[in-house]
Amino acid sequence: MTDAPQATGATDTTVRAMTLEDCPAVAAVRVCGWRFAYEGLMPRAHLEAMSVDADTERRREQFLAGAGRVVNLVAERAGRVIGWGCYGPSRDTGVPGGTAELYALYVLPEHLSRGVGRALTAELLDRAAAAGHPLMQLWVVAGNARARRFYARAGFAPDGAEEPYDVAGVEVPEVRYARALSAPPAAADSRG
């Protein structure tokens, strides 16, 4: 895989590698995404207290700390970042070696159901398979029906693991999903 922008099925959306300069836009996508996706599922005070400025600094730190082991991609339309996703090595114990984990996938609410999440997911899956990961897992809030349907359509399924996620002292149940990845076919050996 190259880091060149990839055209997607939605002709006006481009998926490309995230840069350090994208951190403010990615933070805005993440904060808006959390507030939309987790309304009623997480404490309102926690969601309202989220700050794009504080999250920008966190994104910068995590982007630099994950260099070389975390793949961060953004989706753009008309030069504006409207989606972000990233994956890296699974943080769970007892999973098969080489398992990847989808750490995050967020799209600005006004761009949902327009192919942006599908484009990001497809590129993340392609890159993980090309890197030799046999499996990708993710954690999703159990009550987030929209996200669960999205991941099921992308080929993920619950693998039986569940655990609570602490958000401001409130336990929010999460479910782990998994999907097998297939490596791209090797180039044919031409002899002639």
Side-chain angles (χ1 to χ4, degrees), residues 52-67:
V52 172
D53 290 338
D55 201 71
T56 296
E57 288 309 310
R58 186 170 176 220
R59 293 301 114 221
R60 285 184 179 125
E61 290 171 10
Q62 289 185 342
F63 184 80
L64 294 171

Side-chain angles (χ1 to χ4, degrees), residues 1-179:
M1 291 276 121
T2 68
D3 284 335
Q6 302 294 310
T8 66
T11 58
D12 58 346
T13 303
T14 301
V15 175
R16 65 168 175 80
M18 179 183 161
T19 67
L20 190 59
E21 291 74 28
D22 292 320
C23 287
V26 166
V29 167
R30 184 177 174 275
V31 169
C32 287
W34 267 65
R35 287 178 177 160
F36 178 82
Y38 304 130
E39 178 67 34
L41 299 174
M42 292 188 181
R44 177 174 289 233
H46 176 77
L47 296 174
E48 290 175 355
M50 293 179 77
S51 156
V52 172
D53 290 338
D55 201 71
T56 296
E57 288 309 310
R58 186 170 176 220
R59 293 301 114 221
R60 285 184 179 125
E61 290 171 10
Q62 289 185 342
F63 184 80
L64 294 171
R69 68 177 207 50
V70 176
V71 174
N72 282 276
L73 301 178
V74 295
E76 288 183 316
R77 282 197 174 146
R80 176 179 177 223
V81 172
I82 59 169
W84 163 66
C86 66
Y87 84 85
S90 176
R91 296 171 288 186
D92 293 341
T93 57
V95 298
T99 297
E101 180 179 343
L102 181 63
Y103 298 141
L105 182 69
Y106 294 99
V107 173
L108 289 175
E110 63 268 26
H111 292 278
L112 292 172
S113 299
R114 297 184 184 175
V116 179
R118 285 187 306 274
L120 275 167
T121 302
E123 186 65 19
L124 289 161
L125 291 168
D126 286 351
R127 289 182 184 223
H133 296 285
L135 182 72
M136 182 175 278
Q137 298 175 322
L138 61 89
W139 287 93
V140 61
V141 172
N144 190 342
R146 180 186 188 103
R148 293 181 75 169
R149 285 189 307 269
F150 174 85
Y151 291 126
R153 284 190 304 268
F156 287 89
D159 69 1
E162 297 182 21
E163 66 180 40
Y165 175 63
D166 183 273
V167 179
V170 175
E171 288 191 355
V172 177
E174 287 190 311
V175 177
R176 190 172 66 195
Y177 277 49
R179 175 189 161 154

